[in-house]
Amino acid sequence: MALNERETGQLRAALQEAVVKCSERCLYQSAKWQVAQRWAAELLTSIPATDDDEEPEDSQMTELPPEGSPPIVITGNNDPAEALLEAREINKYLLAKSFFDCREFDRCAAVFLPNNLLSGLIPSTSPASSQESSTSKGKGKGKSTSSNKNTAPGVQLPRLSQKSLFLALYAKFMAGEKRMDEDSEMVMGPHDGGKTTNKELLMINQYLENWFRTRTTEAGEVVGSQGWLEYLYGTVLAKNKNEEEAMRWLIRSVHLYPMNWGCWLEMTALIGRVEDLNRISSHLPQNILSFIFHLHTSLELYQSTPSLHSQLEQLLAIFPTSAFLLTCLALLSYHTKDFLTAENHFSHLLSAHPHRLDSLDHYSNILYVMSLRPKLSFLAHLCSTVDKFRPETCVVIGNYYSLLSQHEKAVNYFRRALTLDRSCLSAWTLMGHEYVELKNTHAAIESYRRAVDVNRRDYRAWYGLGQTYEVLEMHAYALWYYKRAAGLRPWDGKMWMAVGSCLQKMGRDFEGIKALKRALFADSYYDAGVGSSFGSGGGTSARSMDPELLLQIAGMYERQGEEEDAREYMELCMAQEEGLSGPMDADGRRTSGGSDDDDTGKEGGGTGVTVATSKARMWLARYAMAHNNLDTAMRLATELCQDGVEVEEAKALVREVRARHEAIDSDPSEVRDFTSSP
């Protein structure tokens, strides 16, 4: 994807306009809203400069505006009626914006929408009615309810410009969010049920319904709309769990104004599966923002395909220094379990942007998994120096204390992160992990459930719920949660291994074998498929298999009475000590597709002697004894004596083999008795 000079200039101008328009509407007060302005500004500065860029980026900045005209930082409007309204409201608008910047949200809203006006328009704004309206909508299935019966008759909506109306209603939204945080109990406290809601949503929802109804034609088009109020309406509907209607309005918003990145993020939050993303892709405008949205949403869905990497490379060719895209590159490696490459990407990103804290919680997770305590300590100190009251900082420090096995301190920092931002997904999930370490299963389950409420795509929370219920020996519940996690990460062998182990404990060996075989292929997907595209995954050799998995499959075959299949998987498990060569079939067995002289099918190294391979060797030795293959039994038992784990049992087996040899030498007719007895 290459842009010529004219297209690059158009893109730069569109991003400049997006920065100013988002600033005019104060989209910078909360985590999800603030990225709309900042994201556009970061992309704008990441476009490489050309030789003839010595001219001013905006010629307006070098010109003095005519006397009495609005400041040049206020964008114009192509709609004459809207432009006239904005010109009349300029003084009130500047007053309202100053109140908003001082976080006086109610005063900001009252400049254009006084409380007496709102009470006349919508009398039913009590908390009880708000709660009733919220619960009456089905999750993702409800339709937008009409508010005709709640609107006082004869009361007209005030005639405001869309910019001023958006600012007033958004201020009301933020006032409700602020009061919701103030009314919330202490995180994970005795009265913290996570049920506190924004009580201003009903009023905003009904006002916008009335506004759109008065401007909608018979063809269903909103006359003169600019896309910003559609964005706010879609956000309110999403908060009320009316997800299908919310998606419809958000798609309409990006068609009217595609440069509002906050709207794209709201759409990402409503997409739970790859199928949902593919379904709405045809309804989106085809531009570079849609391209970036598809990339970002795929990463949020933990996708890690080579085509996704190709899309990211194309975008980096246009925005080579974009911190957002470089973060996506690091997360792509993280999702493919290529922790070394992901750590390098984050390290370079941190050196280029040392004061940027976004996504550093993911970086701390990588350092935690790699047990890089010095780097994690440095990262925690750096984040604390930049801003100790950011949720990302608290998560990084919590991960550091967790690595030191100081789990109580880690919990305190994760709770501090949630006090700052209740929607901090990493803090909920990681706090659940810490409660598991502290053996507090009730608190762990509650933490994981709250994480799922924040983001139902978080496979780590579903997996954590499965683990916790498995500790409680509630295997039916654990299996259900493990399957949800596997559905979100179908190519992660760890998920399917958990499903198979749970089925094994429930006595469902046939299904357990299928799940564990899928785990084998899932691991080979990362090691031999995705990893080969942008770095090997996790440091394991291509087509290597987990001996524990193979041992479990063999054990389940043995319990089903399928001894030959059990033997094949025991041999496969033992072969992992030196590495497996040759291709595998659908059951994970070696085939004869590769020649001995072909180095492409051979491993660079095996796992060495492990507990699993020693158990497999012992089983094969006893199997050889049962089938009167004494030489093989002696060889396997001797190997166990040399470098195995179960040495004493191996020595006893050697003595038993020698005794049989002596008995056969003295009386060859006894071979039949040994053959018939195990």
Side-chain angles (χ1 to χ4, degrees), residues 625-645:
M625 282 278 292
H627 291 78
N628 202 32
N629 192 347
L630 300 182
D631 292 336
T632 301
M634 176 62 76
R635 176 177 58 80
L636 294 173
T638 304
E639 291 174 355
L640 278 170
C641 293
Q642 293 174 353
D643 54 5
V645 176

Side-chain angles (χ1 to χ4, degrees), residues 32-103:
K32 185 174 288 186
W33 299 77
Q34 69 183 359
V35 295
Q37 178 192 6
R38 189 182 60 191
W39 178 86
E42 286 184 354
L43 278 188
L44 177 62
T45 57
S46 66
I47 299 177
T50 58
D51 296 336
D52 54 353
D53 276 352
E54 295 180 0
E55 294 292 327
E57 292 281 357
D58 188 352
S59 60
Q60 295 184 70
M61 302 299 292
T62 63
E63 301 174 359
L64 291 175
E67 185 177 354
S69 63
I72 57 177
V73 294
I74 304 297
T75 57
N77 200 311
N78 296 327
D79 187 344
E82 285 290 323
L84 181 59
L85 287 173
E86 290 179 8
R88 289 175 179 175
E89 299 164 355
I90 183 63
N91 294 329
K92 282 189 174 183
Y93 165 78
L94 292 175
L95 175 64
K97 189 174 185 303
S98 65
F99 286 148
F100 196 103
D101 292 339
C102 295
R103 298 184 62 82

